[in-house]
Amino acid sequence: ATVLNNIIKRDFFIKLPAYLNYVFIFLVTAYAAGSILLISSEAGKALAILLGSILFVACGYGTALAGYWLQMAAPFVSLLAAFILSLALQYQLEGRQHRFIKKAFSQYVSPAVIRRIIENPSALSLGGEKRELTMFFSDLEGFTTLSERLEAGKLGELINEYLDSITEVILSYEGTLDKYEGDAIVAFWNAPVAIEDHARRGVLAALEAQNKLSELRDYFREKFGVTLRMRVGINTGTVNVGNFGSRNRFDYTIIGDAANLAARLEGVNKVFGTSILISEATRKKLPGDILCRRVADLRVVGKSEVVRVYEPLTAGSSEADRLIEITEKALSALERGRIDEAIRNFKLIEEDCLAQAYIRRINELSKEGDLTASGPFIWNLTSK
């Protein structure tokens, strides 16, 4: 009856040429593989799979309504196979990429930063790029003399314990470890992934690192017979950051004048007796809850421009507020040419190393006849 009805109404299904079925299988397979491999977001993949399924059913239904027979079993099997194989390949490729990222950066950054790189690998620029960073340089006071007093085994143990404790603090603030140079530590923030409050993190890391060393000072004195004191210099500026070196050996590091200034500020601590110095560029990016004391306007060796530097202090301390207030009064008096008033203010905090440094400097300039009546009081440094 069905056959007679089809003959009478001329309502036949026409079998499509074999090549059209092959073309359909190819398109279905390519679409499935492309959806998995080329779309990065999970939501995008799910949407592509849903859309593909709708189009697949629509093609079969539409050709049937038009009176054509399109093979659906073979394309359906191809669709499933393409999805499964593409997912397996993507899993393998992503796993390899994740292992590479973990291996490459596990020595530099905290696990939290590594997770962010894995979630967004495009944020990682292998090679080099210009970026604003906050850079941290630290060194131990009198380490050369200290190292001569210890045998090699004890010295190595001391350095390892010291570096481990300070590095732990840096990584806890999502800093990137650049390198160790003996007892010196070089680190930075805002690369390889962007950190909006990089200046704040760098300064808080320096303050906590000093607190950590203060807590461990008695331990190091008892175990190794030495007293460790650390100096830190911090600057914020644009530098080149990336993998630099030869084809066989390279480091993820920073290059630029702003990095050099951070290193110089570490050494400037020796002049003022301070433990942390930051540049004005860093201070301008700090929130109001981090207290900073103006230290000086200075020219470092090899630079013509004047740099204003500050000392970050622990917030919530009445002593910190007092130091900031008296120091600012003394510096303002000095800039107005009121030398006696400046000295009187510095003597109010004469136990402070910065005040002592200024009193010595004023006396030296007075003897040499180089003390100006008014205007900026600039320290011209002659050594690193």
Side-chain angles (χ1 to χ4, degrees):
T2 302
V3 172
L4 289 174
N5 183 62
N6 288 340
I7 293 172
I8 293 170
K9 295 184 176 180
R10 304 187 63 80
D11 185 17
F12 298 103
F13 273 98
I14 301 173
K15 188 175 183 179
L16 290 173
Y19 77 89
L20 289 179
N21 285 296
Y22 294 141
V23 169
F24 185 56
I25 291 172
F26 173 78
L27 292 176
V28 165
T29 304
Y31 180 86
S35 299
I36 299 298
L37 297 176
L38 300 181
I39 300 176
S40 58
S41 69
E42 298 300 324
K45 289 178 184 179
L47 183 61
I49 291 173
L50 178 61
L51 181 60
S53 301
I54 294 173
L55 290 174
F56 181 77
V57 174
C59 285
Y61 188 70
T63 53
L65 289 178
Y68 294 96
W69 175 41
L70 178 65
Q71 291 185 10
M72 299 297 288
F76 180 71
V77 172
S78 299
L79 182 67
L80 286 179
F83 275 136
I84 294 171
L85 292 175
S86 298
L87 285 171
L89 178 61
Q90 185 188 47
Y91 179 80
Q92 176 65 22
L93 293 175
E94 287 187 351
R96 185 182 304 168
Q97 183 185 48
H98 292 176
R99 287 191 295 273
F100 166 76
I101 291 173
K102 286 182 178 180
K103 182 179 179 181
F105 286 91
S106 61
Q107 303 299 317
Y108 304 135
V109 298
S110 67
V113 173
I114 292 178
R115 285 195 297 271
R116 291 169 62 185
I117 296 173
I118 290 173
E119 292 170 2
N120 183 22
S122 61
L124 175 61
S125 176
L126 295 178
E129 63 172 327
K130 283 187 176 295
R131 185 181 289 193
E132 182 184 74
L133 305 180
T134 293
M135 290 146 287
F136 172 111
F137 281 72
S138 75
D139 203 359
L140 285 177
E141 179 181 316
F143 180 72
T144 302
T145 303
L146 179 151
S147 62
E148 292 173 351
R149 296 165 46 193
L150 296 174
E151 60 181 30
K154 279 288 187 181
L155 178 63
E157 187 179 355
L158 169 64
I159 287 298
N160 289 338
E161 290 194 30
Y162 160 72
L163 293 177
D164 184 63
S165 61
I166 303 304
T167 301
E168 183 180 353
V169 173
I170 292 171
L171 296 184
S172 71
Y173 282 90
E174 299 190 5
T176 299
L177 178 66
D178 185 332
K179 63 175 73 72
Y180 300 126
E181 294 179 348
D183 61 304
I185 302 174
V186 183
F188 51 85
W189 281 259
N190 205 32
V193 294
I195 299 176
E196 185 176 351
D197 59 340
H198 52 88
R200 172 181 170 274
R201 289 174 183 266
V203 173
L204 289 179
L207 289 168
E208 187 170 330
Q210 290 289 7
N211 290 335
K212 181 78 170 180
L213 184 58
S214 179
E215 293 171 2
L216 294 172
R217 192 163 288 130
D218 290 340
Y219 165 77
F220 285 129
R221 188 182 297 113
E222 292 175 7
K223 185 174 182 179
F224 301 100
V226 297
T227 301
L228 297 186
R229 300 189 186 280
M230 179 177 64
R231 297 186 296 260
V232 179
I234 295 178
N235 182 39
T236 300
T238 301
V239 295
N240 287 291
V241 58
N243 282 319
F244 298 102
S246 67
R247 287 178 296 178
N248 299 320
R249 177 68 182 269
F250 56 83
D251 290 316
Y252 189 78
T253 188
I254 49 178
I255 298 175
D257 192 57
N260 296 335
L261 178 58
R264 298 289 177 82
L265 293 183
E266 178 275 315
V268 173
N269 282 287
K270 291 182 284 187
V271 176
F272 299 108
T274 50
S275 60
I276 306 174
L277 286 179
I278 67 174
S279 67
E280 187 171 29
T282 299
R283 179 187 174 276
K284 286 180 177 178
K285 291 186 173 293
L286 295 179
D289 60 341
I290 298 180
L291 299 180
C292 292
R293 172 168 66 153
R294 180 158 68 106
V295 171
D297 294 333
L298 53 87
R299 288 190 183 93
V300 297
V301 178
K303 300 293 179 184
S304 59
E305 65 271 18
V306 175
V307 179
R308 177 164 289 185
V309 295
Y310 294 82
E311 179 187 23
L313 301 172
T314 303
S317 167
S318 58
E319 180 60 23
D321 294 333
R322 177 173 173 267
L323 282 175
I324 292 172
E325 181 182 359
I326 294 176
T327 302
E328 191 59 38
K329 286 181 179 179
L331 293 179
S332 298
L334 192 60
E335 290 167 347
R336 295 195 305 271
R338 299 179 180 177
I339 309 302
D340 292 338
E341 181 183 342
I343 292 178
R344 282 198 304 273
N345 278 286
F346 280 128
K347 285 186 175 181
L348 293 175
I349 50 172
E350 59 183 354
E351 73 285 352
D352 178 60
C353 291
L354 179 61
Q356 295 170 11
Y358 265 99
I359 292 173
R360 285 195 304 269
R361 183 62 172 166
I362 292 170
N363 291 333
E364 289 171 2
L365 293 176
S366 297
K367 291 178 181 179
E368 296 170 1
D370 293 334
L371 193 60
T372 57
S374 62
F377 189 88
I378 299 173
W379 291 69
N380 294 299
L381 304 182
T382 57
S383 62
K384 296 181 181 181

